[in-house]
Amino acid sequence: MAGARRAVWAYVRSAPGTYVWLGILFVTTVALHHMSPEFEQEFLRRRSTNIHELSRHPVRVLVTSAMWIDGGYWLPYAVLYSVFHAQAERWLGTLRWLVVCGAAHVLATLISEGALARAIGEGLAPASAADTLDVGVSYALAGVVAVLVYRIRTPWRYAYLAAVLLVYGYPLTTGPTFTDLGHFVSVLVGLACRPLVRRRARVRNPKETGAAGPG
């Protein structure tokens, strides 16, 4: 047990940004559980990257929206962060990992909300959609999932890429929402971050055992 605890602690220390962010999400999720449903929705809406809030407080909501989970289930994100974010941070380093997260989160938000604003202007979406709740960390996660394509050796890389494009692209073919568009844009942003990984460590072979270490 002592060895297992040391291994877990070493893994956490190797990706400090990931686990600090995850810790913040734990605290904010607990806070949401102590709010009434009505107050929670209004509270989150003020921290949401919807059109209304983006037009008034763009920087504030772009930051605060990434500190809350809409839905209140923290444990699945703990798993996803450990599998994807932690691996990306260990490989790229904290600064480059943050660049990928930030680029995916900001660009996907602005593009998807811009598309929604256009739909409202053309009468394809109701005006009330300008206040739609839009918080969470899924855009940054999608960008990191995509950039990890470059961490995997060929031919496994192409199978992983195909799976990523299928998971995030398929919803666009079946009644897409602005969130679906944002997720796919995040994937494209992650793939466009290849210049950040060119000088990093060797790519990983899925057949190798153990966690991939930093470059």
Side-chain angles (χ1 to χ4, degrees):
M1 291 296 294
R5 286 195 296 269
R6 285 194 296 269
V8 170
W9 178 237
Y11 191 82
V12 170
R13 286 188 303 166
S14 70
T18 295
Y19 289 101
V20 167
W21 192 1
L22 197 56
I24 293 171
L25 292 177
F26 178 79
V27 172
T28 57
T29 300
V30 171
L32 287 179
H33 282 296
H34 288 80
M35 298 179 188
S36 67
E38 297 78 11
F39 181 78
E40 176 185 333
Q41 289 301 302
E42 182 60 27
F43 181 86
L44 290 178
R45 188 168 287 108
R46 293 181 181 179
R47 288 150 182 82
S48 172
T49 50
N50 55 47
I51 296 170
H52 179 71
E53 293 295 336
L54 276 173
S55 65
R56 299 176 61 191
H57 312 289
V59 176
R60 177 175 66 81
V61 296
L62 281 168
V63 174
T64 58
S65 65
M67 302 301 162
W68 302 86
I69 298 172
D70 183 21
Y73 295 101
W74 178 83
L75 188 57
Y77 286 92
V79 175
L80 291 171
Y81 269 51
S82 297
V83 172
F84 295 106
H85 276 300
Q87 284 294 308
E89 185 180 0
R90 296 178 73 207
W91 175 44
L92 295 173
T94 300
L95 181 58
R96 294 189 186 194
W97 165 75
L98 280 174
V99 169
V100 175
C101 292
H105 175 66
V106 172
L107 292 176
T109 296
L110 296 180
I111 291 173
S112 61
E113 292 294 338
L116 180 59
R118 182 174 179 178
I120 293 173
E122 295 178 352
L124 301 176
S128 60
D131 286 317
T132 300
L133 185 64
D134 185 21
V135 296
V137 297
S138 59
Y139 290 166
L141 179 61
V144 166
V145 168
V147 81
L148 284 171
V149 164
Y150 306 117
R151 185 72 174 107
I152 302 173
R153 292 185 184 276
T154 55
W156 307 103
R157 173 182 297 178
Y158 302 120
Y160 179 85
L161 175 60
V164 170
L165 293 176
L166 178 63
V167 168
Y168 289 104
Y170 179 72
L172 294 177
T173 68
T174 58
T177 65
F178 76 93
T179 304
D180 296 328
L181 174 62
H183 286 143
F184 193 73
V185 169
S186 298
V187 168
L188 297 181
V189 171
L191 294 175
C193 288
R194 186 171 186 177
L196 294 176
V197 309
R198 285 177 178 170
R199 297 182 179 179
R200 304 313 297 168
R202 63 184 179 86
V203 293
R204 183 184 180 188
N205 188 331
K207 291 184 177 180
E208 294 175 357
T209 57

